[in-house]
């Protein structure tokens, strides 16, 4: 153990402060996977939304967070060292809002006791990507009529506590294992999955039951445990659901199963644990309507979790960034030199950027960004259909304002009226070639009103 790790032991007593929600405050990567040299991401205990173009390091940050969910950290150097740095030390450093610092190096084998608040992560495993979702509806064996979910449940619930000394994966007798698994799956977990499906995604779909059995594998001749899921669709039982439901519904079903499992597992922990939820390119097969429904799940079902959301979909990033409170970053690839590096851009809102230009007395740019931000806020409030005229053409800003005013009342309506006046007399003229005088106080008030409207309409 090097000196840096010894220093971090001095703040061990801070890990006992469970009175306030514990969060990650920063992540520092040194010579780890994509990142050559040092790279630091300041999270400040907030939720994190990251857009990253392909090859910009997004997946490396996801993998670094995944290290916290392992019971043992082994062979870090084998596939983790940046290819351009053959000798430099690999470090993954985490800072937490309770003051604790934890550094993973090539010598680290397991989580030390002073970060015991991380140990629950290996039980409820909060890492989820589209590959895991596929396990719910994709069969690796061609020609299979039914999906075998045994492997998924075996891995997902392997550390579910049966008693003080036993977890599910400790049970070696298959009959006894199935008996215990049924108690976990067929009770509250099944009810929670159906709750998520009905409350957020689709009232027509319900998991009716799970069928547990052992069959003889035709290729090996050995016994194969099988768990099949039986779906109820509009009061009709469907066994081959993966060939009947469309991809969006299958993804919604998979999301509901994993989210319900995470909530079930964390509810069984005996000690306090940091609550993380790390999602990577989760919504590839979900349409826009279901993407917004998933956002509602995050806001309503995971309010006490720190959420890390990674995506390579710029449209999704733009959709999500103003609909939830989180730090926003964009990652781009700088391949101008032999050693590729990331370009980290803070995902500031138009209002935040407008304030910067206002401070520089660049009022034209300030007004242009406020006008753009005003339009974006209105579009986030109106449905896609409400943003179109009777001929299905996009509404201009004036028409968007009018339609939003029609839907609004009280303070919302009052602020919209003021901003509509600002649009005509300040924002529009400053966004075009216009020589009328600039009234900085009115521009400043427009920024205040727009920030207030954003909160009210959210």
């Amino acid at each position: 153990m090097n000196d840096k790790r010894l220093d971090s032991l001095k703040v061990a007593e801070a890990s006992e402060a469970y009175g306030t929600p514990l969060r990650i405050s920063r992540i520092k990567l040194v010579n780890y996977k994509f990142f050559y040299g040092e790279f630091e991401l300041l999270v400040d205990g907030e939720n994190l939304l990251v857009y990253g173009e392909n090859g910009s390091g997004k997946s490396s940050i996801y993998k670094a967070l995944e290290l916290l969910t392992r019971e043992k950290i082994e062979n870090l150097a084998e596939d983790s060292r940046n290819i351009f740095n053959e000798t430099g030390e690999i470090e993954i450093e985490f800072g937490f809002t309770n003051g604790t610092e934890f550094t993973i190096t090539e010598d680290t084998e397991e989580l030390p006791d002073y970060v015991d608040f991380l140990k629950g992560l290996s039980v409820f495993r909060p890492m989820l990507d589209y590959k895991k979702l596929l396990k719910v509806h994709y069969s690796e064996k061609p020609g299979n009529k039914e999906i075998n979910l045994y492997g998924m449940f075996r891995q997902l619930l392997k550390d579910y506590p049966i008693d003080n000394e036993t977890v599910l994966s400790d049970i070696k007798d298959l009959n006894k294992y199935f008996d215990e698994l049924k108690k976990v799956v067929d009770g509250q977990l099944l009810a929670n999955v159906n709750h998520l499906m009905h409350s957020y995604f689709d009232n027509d779909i319900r998991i009716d039951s799970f069928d547990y059995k052992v069959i003889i594998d035709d290729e090996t001749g050995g016994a194969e445990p099988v768990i099949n899921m039986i779906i109820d669709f509009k009061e009709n039982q469907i066994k081959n659901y993966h060939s009947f439901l469309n991809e969006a519904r299958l993804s919604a079903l998979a999301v509901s199963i994993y989210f319900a499992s995470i909530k079930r597992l964390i509810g069984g922990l005996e000690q306090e644990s940091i609550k993380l939820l790390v999602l990577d390119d989760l919504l590839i097969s979900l349409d826009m309507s279901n993407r917004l429904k998933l956002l509602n799940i995050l806001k309503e079902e995971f309010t006490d979790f720190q959420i890390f959301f990674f995506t390579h979909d710029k449209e999704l990033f733009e959709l999500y960034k103003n609909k939830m409170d989180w730090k926003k970053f964009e990652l781009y690839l700088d391949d101008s030199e032999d050693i590729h590096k990331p370009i980290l851009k803070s995902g500031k809102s138009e209002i935040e950027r407008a304030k910067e230009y206002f401070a520089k007395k660049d009022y034209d740019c300030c007004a242009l960004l406020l006008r753009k931000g005003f339009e974006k806020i209105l579009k986030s409030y109106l449905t896609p259909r409400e943003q179109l005229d009777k001929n299905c053409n996009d509404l201009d800003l004036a028409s968007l304002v009018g339609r939003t005013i029609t839907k609004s009342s009280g303070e919302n309506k009052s602020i919209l009226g003021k901003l509509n006046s600002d649009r005509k007399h300040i924002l529009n003229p400053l966004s075009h070639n216009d020589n009328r005088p600039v009234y900085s106080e009115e521009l400043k008030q427009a920024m205040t009103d727009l920030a207030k409207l954003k909160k009210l309409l959210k």
Side-chain angles (χ1 to χ4, degrees), residues 131-302:
K131 293 178 183 178
K132 290 184 179 178
L133 296 186
L134 287 176
K135 294 181 180 180
V136 174
H137 55 85
Y138 175 76
S139 176
E140 295 181 354
K141 292 185 177 181
N144 274 16
K145 292 183 178 180
E146 296 180 82
I147 302 295
N148 183 4
L149 299 179
Y150 172 78
M152 183 201 74
F153 278 125
R154 180 84 186 179
Q155 180 64 27
L156 187 61
L157 302 174
K158 74 184 193 71
D159 291 316
Y160 187 87
I162 301 301
D163 52 43
N164 291 335
E165 298 181 355
T166 307
V167 296
L168 262 176
S169 58
D170 291 334
I171 302 174
K172 305 306 178 186
D173 181 280
L174 186 57
N175 290 325
K176 186 177 179 182
Y177 177 84
F178 269 170
D179 288 341
E180 293 295 338
L181 185 63
K182 288 177 186 178
K183 294 176 185 178
V184 178
V185 174
D186 292 351
Q188 191 61 47
L189 178 60
L190 180 56
N192 289 344
V193 174
N194 285 328
H195 159 72
L196 292 175
M197 280 297 298
H198 290 181
S199 299
Y200 299 97
F201 289 118
D202 197 324
N203 278 321
D204 293 330
I205 301 174
R206 178 177 64 87
I207 300 178
D208 184 81
S209 61
F210 291 96
D211 182 24
Y212 306 81
K213 57 192 174 187
V214 179
I215 65 172
I216 303 299
D217 186 278
D218 291 336
E219 294 182 5
T220 66
E224 180 184 4
V226 173
I227 301 176
N228 296 138
M229 182 165 59
I230 301 171
I231 295 293
D232 183 288
F233 180 74
K234 295 186 176 181
E235 299 184 357
N236 295 292
Q237 278 196 352
I238 303 169
K239 287 188 175 181
N240 301 328
Y241 63 90
H242 63 294
S243 59
F244 177 81
L245 300 176
N246 63 34
E247 195 167 3
R249 279 176 163 153
L250 290 169
S251 293
L253 183 63
V255 166
S256 298
I257 290 173
Y258 275 97
F259 279 3
S261 298
I262 288 170
K263 298 273 280 188
R264 186 80 174 91
L265 285 163
I266 201 169
L269 295 177
E270 293 186 356
Q271 69 182 68
E272 292 285 351
S273 173
I274 189 171
K275 293 182 178 180
L276 303 179
L277 185 63
V278 187
L279 311 175
D280 183 29
D281 274 332
L282 199 62
L283 308 180
I284 291 176
S285 58
L286 283 182
D287 57 23
M288 194 59 68
S289 174
N290 279 317
R291 290 178 174 196
L292 291 173
K293 291 173 183 176
L294 183 131
L295 191 65
N296 289 333
I297 294 181
L298 298 181
K299 290 194 288 189
E300 296 172 19
E301 302 286 340
F302 291 91

Side-chain angles (χ1 to χ4, degrees), residues 306-403:
Q306 185 180 16
I307 300 168
F308 293 79
F309 199 109
F310 300 93
T311 181
H312 75 282
D313 187 333
K314 192 61 159 58
E315 182 182 8
L316 177 67
F317 176 81
E318 294 296 334
L319 176 71
Y320 270 24
K321 73 178 187 180
N322 294 319
K323 291 187 178 294
M324 189 167 159
D325 293 327
W326 39 25
K327 285 261 190 178
K328 301 172 283 285
F329 292 104
E330 299 175 42
L331 274 172
Y332 297 93
L333 176 65
D334 179 3
D335 57 359
S336 60
E337 299 181 9
D338 291 339
I339 298 178
H340 294 176
K341 296 180 180 180
I343 299 173
L344 182 66
K345 176 183 173 183
S346 177
K348 294 180 180 178
S349 69
E350 283 78 9
I351 299 174
E352 291 169 328
R353 292 165 61 199
K355 289 179 179 179
E356 293 177 356
Y357 281 109
F358 182 85
K360 298 174 184 177
K361 301 189 185 306
D362 189 342
Y363 298 134
D364 290 356
C365 287
C366 175
L368 186 63
L369 284 166
L370 288 178
R371 192 181 187 281
K372 185 177 179 181
F374 191 18
E375 183 175 347
K376 187 171 289 187
I377 290 170
L378 298 179
K379 286 184 175 180
S380 72
Y381 177 68
L382 297 171
T383 66
R385 183 64 189 89
E386 290 171 336
Q387 298 172 33
L388 304 175
D389 64 18
K390 61 182 180 181
N391 297 317
C392 292
N393 296 315
D394 291 334
L395 296 178
D396 60 17
L397 180 54
S399 300
L400 289 171
V401 174
R403 190 153 290 182

